[in-house]
């Protein structure tokens, strides 16, 4: 909580004034004693290449990006598209998504596989099923996979994931990249998994606002915003390419919350982001608040604006066009790719279990086989003016420059 508070304070004090800098006459600053941390800096400071790149966006500017319409909206999209193509090009990287289990120790109020949902049958893929799916990704030149699942942190689970990672790396001659999305763990577990071959980790913050976080999670230490933040820092310390993200259009969420989410992602210097619309699930406590929600179309549009604004804010990170976007309409994912996203995560979970991994309703692609999903995916990527980059890890450019410096 302290950390977030600090972050917000820093924006207020340091970042906002940057935007007025262009209005300040250099001469007036001649006798002003400034340093890197001064609120006011001479214009020449921003003319240096390394500083020029750091255009800082204010909260109101970001709020405008999220709500703009008509001509302004077109300008937002063309700017984010231009920045994307200039910085990282139009390659789309694939992560074969393997949903290893829907058994979860958490009870998040929005999630269909929360522990207390007794309507869902629980499954866990066998080692063979997981290894076969990884093999499918390898032989189809996906470049990398994501192991995602309900949260467990018991020793047997941590040991099993370690073993599976070693096997996957061995079976693919060390060639398949592996991202994990297995929730909050101890730093020691994160280290073990990194040593065993994982190199990217996704852990969504869900919302950067601790008060909103408290409204959508049970009030107990297992569901703590501060712990989630500490885990993200652990992941960065362990040397993972670190990904996080938020849900968009949650009940009680404001545009200011979302604009702050964008500033949060920037202040955390995050390498990858997966964010998408919140979609209600009837067997969850948040369903009761569905009357507070924006329409599905509005949530979709807001999500696309978030992707565009984030691309402008963080030009060289990896941004996923998430499944939840596609759940509202297939064109949602295409639009996200066209204006800012560069990663997709085709589902390669064995079809028999796919219907059970239902975080929200109307989850797309729960009935089709892997080959059919692939065909559809290629088609939609081409439609968005992008191309699939096969057989490469597709690491975040941001991570490369962050670690080189
Ligand atoms: N709608 C949208 N996204 C959801 N997630 C979980 N439940 C929902 C929902 N109802 C997202 C969360 C979580 C990720 C695995 O799925 O952001 O971190």
């Amino acid at each position: 909580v302290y950390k977030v508070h600090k972050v917000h304070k820093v924006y207020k004090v340091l970042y906002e004034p940057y935007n007025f800098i262009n209005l300040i006459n250099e001469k007036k600053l001649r006798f002003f004693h400034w340093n890197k941390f001064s609120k006011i800096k001479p214009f020449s400071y921003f003319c240096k290449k390394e500083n020029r790149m750091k255009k800082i966006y204010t909260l109101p500017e970001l709020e405008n990006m999220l709500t703009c319409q008509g001509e302004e909206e077109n300008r937002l999209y063309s700017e984010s598209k231009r920045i994307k193509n200039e910085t990282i090009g139009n390659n789309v990287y694939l992560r074969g998504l393997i949903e290893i289990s829907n058994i979860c120790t958490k009870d998040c109020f929005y999630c269909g596989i929360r522990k207390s949902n007794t309507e869902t049958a629980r499954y866990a893929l066998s080692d063979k099923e997981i290894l076969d799916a990884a093999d499918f990704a390898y032989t189809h030149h996906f470049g990398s996979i994501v192991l995602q699942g309900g949260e467990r942190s018991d020793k047997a689970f941590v040991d099993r994931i370690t073993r599976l990672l070693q096997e996957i790396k061995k079976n693919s001659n060390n060639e398949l990249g592996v991202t994990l999305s297995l929730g909050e763990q101890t730093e020691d577990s994160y280290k073990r998994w990194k040593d065993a071959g994982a190199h990217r980790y996704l852990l969504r913050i869900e919302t950067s606002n601790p008060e909103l976080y408290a409204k959508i999670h049970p009030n107990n230490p297992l569901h703590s915003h501060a712990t989630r933040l500490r885990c993200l820092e652990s992941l960065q310390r362990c040397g993972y390419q670190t990904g996080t993200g938020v849900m968009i259009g949650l009940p009680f969420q404001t545009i200011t919350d979302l604009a702050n989410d964008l500033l949060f992602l920037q202040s955390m210097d995050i390498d990858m982001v997966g964010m998408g619309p919140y979609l209600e699930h009837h067997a969850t406590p948040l369903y009761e608040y569905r009357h507070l929600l924006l329409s599905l179309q509005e949530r979709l549009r807001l999500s696309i604006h978030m992707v565009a604004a984030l691309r402008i804010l963080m030009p060289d990170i990896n941004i996923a066009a998430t499944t939840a976007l596609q759940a509202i309409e297939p064109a949602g994912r295409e639009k996200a790719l066209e204006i800012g996203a560069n990663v997709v995560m085709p589902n390669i979970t064995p079809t028999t279990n796919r219907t059970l991994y239902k975080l929200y309703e109307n989850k797309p692609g729960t009935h089709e086989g892997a080959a059919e999903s692939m065909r559809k995916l290629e088609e939609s990527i081409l439609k968005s003016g992008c191309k699939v980059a096969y057989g490469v890890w597709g690491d975040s450019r941001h991570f490369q420059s962050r670690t080189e410096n």
Side-chain angles (χ1 to χ4, degrees):
V1 171
Y2 169 66
K3 176 106 203 224
V4 165
H5 181 68
K6 201 170 97 188
V7 163
H8 284 241
K9 214 164 145 198
V10 166
Y11 290 134
K12 265 214 142 37
V13 178
L14 281 179
Y15 290 4
E16 286 186 3
Y18 283 19
N19 287 278
F20 300 115
I21 211 69
N22 292 349
L23 305 173
I24 292 170
N25 185 330
E26 177 115 73
K27 278 186 192 154
K28 285 189 191 149
L29 282 175
R30 191 167 294 160
F31 305 106
F32 179 75
H33 218 71
W34 68 279
N35 64 33
K36 192 159 97 160
F37 300 105
S38 305
K39 285 187 192 178
I40 298 174
K41 298 187 181 68
F43 189 62
S44 55
Y45 176 86
F46 292 91
C47 296
K48 279 194 186 164
K49 196 168 170 230
E50 67 273 22
N51 298 329
R52 199 187 332 145
M53 301 306 287
K54 291 184 194 148
K55 158 102 176 105
I56 307 290
Y57 290 88
T58 61
L59 195 63
E61 277 178 313
L62 292 169
E63 286 169 340
N64 279 342
M65 286 192 207
L66 298 183
T67 50
C68 65
Q69 296 181 359
E71 258 315 293
E72 263 193 292
E73 182 180 55
N74 292 339
R75 263 203 302 277
L76 171 73
Y77 291 161
S78 59
E79 182 65 359
S80 62
K81 188 172 171 174
R82 182 186 67 77
I83 288 178
K84 178 192 157 184
N85 287 329
E86 274 179 13
T87 321
I88 56 166
N90 71 343
N91 277 339
V92 171
Y93 302 106
L94 302 181
R95 318 306 186 206
L97 176 64
I98 310 175
E99 295 158 338
I100 63 169
S101 168
N102 66 355
I103 298 168
C104 194
T105 52
K106 293 266 179 110
D107 229 354
C108 309
F109 291 160
Y110 44 85
C111 186
I113 64 165
R114 64 196 299 268
K115 185 180 170 191
S116 306
N117 179 8
T118 49
E119 286 179 31
T120 297
R122 301 290 167 165
Y123 77 89
L125 297 187
S126 66
D127 286 4
K128 181 169 186 312
E129 284 172 315
I130 295 172
L131 295 173
D132 284 352
D135 207 47
F136 173 92
Y138 180 54
T139 52
H140 287 75
H141 310 288
F142 275 36
S144 46
I145 55 167
V146 181
L147 298 184
Q148 183 174 86
E151 199 170 305
R152 272 182 63 180
S153 50
D154 52 284
K155 184 165 182 312
F157 180 78
V158 175
D159 289 347
R160 178 176 180 231
I161 297 296
T162 311
R163 247 188 311 107
L164 283 167
L165 284 167
Q166 288 160 344
E167 288 266 307
I168 291 168
K169 294 304 278 188
K170 193 177 83 201
N171 295 349
S172 69
N173 301 315
N174 241 343
E175 284 171 28
L176 201 56
V178 186
T179 306
L180 296 179
S181 176
L182 300 170
E184 293 170 10
Q185 305 288 341
T186 62
E187 188 155 328
D188 190 52
S189 301
Y190 287 147
K191 266 202 205 106
R192 281 184 63 197
W193 291 346
K194 177 98 193 344
D195 292 342
H199 63 128
R200 296 188 283 239
Y201 204 105
L202 302 169
L203 180 67
R204 286 191 180 179
I205 189 76
E206 316 300 356
T207 169
S208 63
N209 178 347
E211 281 129 49
L212 178 57
Y213 193 93
K215 285 186 187 142
I216 62 171
H217 293 94
N219 177 17
N220 63 37
L222 195 60
H223 298 84
S224 142
H225 192 253
T227 307
R228 186 67 61 102
L229 272 175
R230 268 199 302 277
C231 284
L232 280 172
E233 286 164 355
S234 277
L235 289 164
Q236 287 178 320
R237 264 197 303 277
C238 291
Y240 281 96
Q241 286 175 57
T242 307
T244 187
V246 296
M247 283 179 286
I248 299 158
L250 284 161
F252 322 116
Q253 190 178 43
T254 64
I255 291 293
T256 308
D257 286 331
L258 289 168
N260 269 321
D261 287 344
L262 292 169
L263 291 173
F264 167 83
L265 298 172
Q266 192 185 37
S267 75
M268 286 291 290
D269 209 10
I270 224 71
D271 304 305
M272 353 184 260
V273 172
M275 56 188 178
Y278 161 71
L279 298 167
E280 60 272 37
H281 187 294
H282 74 276
T284 61
L286 271 201
Y287 195 63
E288 186 186 325
Y289 299 100
R290 62 192 178 283
H291 61 283
L292 299 177
L293 298 174
L294 294 172
S295 73
L296 281 176
Q297 282 306 318
E298 285 167 324
R299 270 176 271 168
L300 178 62
R301 188 154 152 244
L302 192 51
S303 303
I304 302 287
H305 280 228
M306 282 286 281
V307 169
L310 181 63
R311 178 57 74 200
I312 293 172
L313 211 56
M314 304 187 76
D316 60 354
I317 61 168
N318 277 351
I319 304 179
T322 53
T323 322
L325 273 173
Q326 188 199 355
I328 297 181
E329 80 180 48
R333 187 167 68 178
E334 279 155 31
K335 187 74 187 169
L337 289 173
E338 188 194 326
I339 57 96
N342 68 325
V343 167
V344 288
M345 297 162 58
N347 197 334
I348 55 167
T349 309
T351 355
T352 38
N353 293 295
R354 258 196 237 173
T355 46
L356 298 175
Y357 197 84
K358 250 197 188 168
L359 308 180
Y360 42 80
E361 278 153 328
N362 299 322
K363 197 171 158 228
T366 37
H367 295 290
E368 69 217 10
E372 175 63 6
S373 312
M374 275 314 289
R375 199 192 52 73
K376 279 196 187 160
L377 184 71
E378 280 253 351
E379 209 174 277
S380 84
I381 290 173
L382 286 176
K383 251 198 225 160
S384 66
C386 303
K387 62 178 195 297
V388 184
Y390 283 105
V392 288
W393 281 9
D395 282 344
S396 143
R397 179 92 50 97
H398 187 75
F399 178 76
Q400 288 162 9
S401 38
R402 184 163 73 78
T403 43
E404 271 162 21
N405 289 334

